[in-house]
Amino acid sequence: MVITGAPSESVTARKLTTAKAMVEAISQEMDRDPSIFVMGEDIGAYGGIFSSTSGLLEKFGPQRIMDTPISETAFMGLATGAAVEGMRPIVELMFVDFFGVCMDQIYNHMAKIHYESGGNVKVPVVLMTAVGGGYSDGAQHSQCLWGVFAHLPGMKVVVPSNPYDAKGLMISAIRDDNPVIYMFHKGVMGLPWMAKNPRSLGPVPEKPYEVPIGRAAVVRTGRDLTIVTLSLSVHHALDAADELASQGIDCEVIDLRSLVPLDREAVLESVAKTGRLLVVDEDYQSFGLTGEIAAVVAEKDPRLLKAPVSRLAMPDIPIPYSRTLEYAVLPTAERIAAAARLVMA
Amino acid sequence: MDNETRLGLYKTMVLSRSFEEAILRDYHADKKPVWDIGAGLIPGEMHLSSGQEPVAAGMCAHLTSNDAITATHRPHHFAIAHGMDLRLLAAEIFGRETGLGKGRGGHMHLFDPSIHFSCSGIIAEGYPPALGIAFAFQRQGKDSVVVAVTGEGAANQGAFHESLNLAALWKLPVVFVIEDNDWAISVPRDASTSIRSNAVRATSYGIRGTRIQDNSVEGVWDAAKTAVERARAGEGPSLIEVHTVRLWGHFEGDAQAYRSDLDSLIDPIPAYANQLESDGVLSREMIGSISQEAKMRVEDAIEFAKSSPLPSATEVDRYVFA
Ligand SMILES: Cc1ncc(C[n+]2csc(CCOP(=O)(O)OP(=O)(O)O)c2C)c(N)n1
Ligand SMILES: [Mg+2]
């Protein structure tokens, strides 16, 4: 098992927010490779609604940092076309919820061309997009939807949970010759105007580095129970694990970091050790990530398990606006801890 | 235009503004000391329409509750001008069980079947359902019409262009309304749109197109009168673009650092009051009493919202299916 979390304080003292780490990655890669450009809505003067492009316009100018009209189909397709001809576009879909207006360009074109061309045509696009809820943005602005992108073949899907991984995964995504969907949760960006987990500010080395796509990280080791999760839920799982430790339950927490490719080995190795599995997902439950992870174990060897697999995901309900309702369905630390106790019971 | 109509337009605009001023106050009241979008009695994104009231007031003056509106992420002025119950609107914004959507929807997702009102947070995606509403009205033999609203930014979406073509082809009773407030969040119109007037785009689809350059409520009223009459008479769709103004941020919390036009904005409500006053339609006293009356109605609605129960967490899965 590879333990590949963020480096310790002594390795790098400098701390960045996840948003700043992403911007630094893009900026360093743009310095290196003139074929990279960034486009999307409000990514220029505004710097991205969730600060994913702050300062890039000032540094690289309007030839390489371009605000688009609200025409997602047109600019998604533009990214594909430009990539096919040798450029390396980074395109932002402001909220993943908006994929509905441009999905054909993504899943039928961007994602399939490499295969359909027998490997003759490469489409190196990074599609970055904001995901997640928790601040009452309602049913059309709070979804995660990574299960949809991971379900459809031809796209890599990465989902960083912290500043270190955000930088390294962005650099890997840019250098990758495939379409990579880069999904950042608003709650891990370290935005000044939104409640955030303290871990959205963390150590980030200044030099460019890659975090390999397709490798999970064991972000906490433990003996009793494996919690497999990703994105903001990693932080909730770590908080829950702290609480559970004081009650004598020793959790191992796995941050998947990538859904495609999926690090099945990391899951199996951990479950082989703990014998118990709780999968936590802020995406909808049915036909999604939690079922996929359960299948990883079931297909390999269900006898690894001392207790049935447990799933804690967004129920199959449009995400409600009112805070009392939204927090009744989000996978909070309290609900993760409660689910973990049930697995142990 | 008679004095009563002019007064009516003014009152509608004042009511809408009073409502938004109250929402603005309560939205920010409890997000301190560290401003957090998800905190307080009204959490989440808040897109206010102040400055754009002339568009809604002028349009809705020609509608009854049998006519429909599909609005946007910035829906309050159209909701209010179309006669939405302020209590139900406020309660939804406060996320209460007594709200229009029982707290499930929020301010971008207002559905009021009693006045055929709906809205969406996905840009331009209110246009296609507007066609369907118009189609149903037509098939049901009604003379009702649909007003489909978007911003100027939305007019670059495929859904906009597809809808214009289909509405023209099937002669649907729709009035497309574009609120050109110069901005789509931080992107100015001239950086997003290849053409100065969307009336030209309408014409290219075989639709009557009008652009009103000055945010004048009476200009909107005039254009709307023709468009609604034509739609009712089975003469098909029209498009009205209004050059209006976004007085506040795109959403609350928007610092608007990208914006250099803030000093030159004209608030249409005092401007109209002055005009009506100099025409002898409105007196200083009336301005005061109209504002007082609007505030009373608004505060009643806010009180209702605040004293209403929150939805019960155990009912979170209610209303997923019929
Ligand atoms: C399909 C889609 N793309 C992007 C957004 C994000 N977004 C919300 S409002 C907005 C700007 C809309 O501008 P405009 O249509 O002019 O309306 P205004 O906000 O000015 O009223 C954008 C880009 C969205 N909600 N839906
Ligand atoms: Mg606009």
Side-chain angles (χ1 to χ4, degrees), chain A residues 209-226:
Chain A
Y209 59 91
E210 296 184 26
V211 166
I213 296 176
R215 282 256 280 287
V218 178
V219 290
R220 178 189 174 109
T221 54
R223 282 171 285 110
D224 298 332
L225 165 71
T226 301

Side-chain angles (χ1 to χ4, degrees), chain A residues 271 276-279 290-291 293-295 297-298 305 307-311 343:
Chain A
V271 173
R276 293 184 185 84
L277 174 61
L278 167 63
V279 193
T290 53
I293 299 296
V297 179
L305 293 167
V309 175
S310 174
R311 303 198 268 164
V343 178

Side-chain angles (χ1 to χ4, degrees), chain A residues 131-133 142-148 150 159 183 185 227-234 236-237 254 256 259 278-293 310-316 319 329-332 335-336 339:
Chain A
V131 303
S142 304
Q143 301 166 96
C144 288
L145 299 178
W146 39 62
V148 171
V159 191
M183 310 181 90
H185 198 295
I227 303 178
V228 173
T229 188
L230 75 175
S231 194
L232 180 63
S233 300
V234 170
H236 298 329
I254 295 188
L256 287 172
L259 295 189
L278 167 63
V279 193
V280 178
D281 187 11
E282 199 186 312
D283 197 359
Y284 301 118
Q285 172 151 322
S286 296
F287 309 97
L289 173 71
T290 53
E292 187 64 34
I293 299 296
S310 174
R311 303 198 268 164
L312 178 63
M314 185 60 76
D316 305 323
I319 298 172
V329 290
L330 282 170
T332 57
R335 297 180 71 227
I336 295 171

Side-chain angles (χ1 to χ4, degrees), chain B residues 52 73-74 151-154 179-185 187 246:
Chain B
Q52 303 183 189
H73 56 289
R74 200 180 300 289
E152 89 296 337
E179 299 185 278
D180 175 7
N181 60 9
D182 291 319
W183 296 94
I185 310 185
V187 180
R246 193 186 88 198

Side-chain angles (χ1 to χ4, degrees), chain A residues 95-114:
Chain A
F95 289 69
V96 74
D97 313 66
F98 308 157
F99 84 93
V101 301
C102 57
M103 194 59 169
D104 190 74
Q105 285 300 327
I106 299 169
Y107 90 110
N108 264 335
H109 294 85
M110 192 186 285
K112 290 179 179 168
I113 289 175
H114 186 261

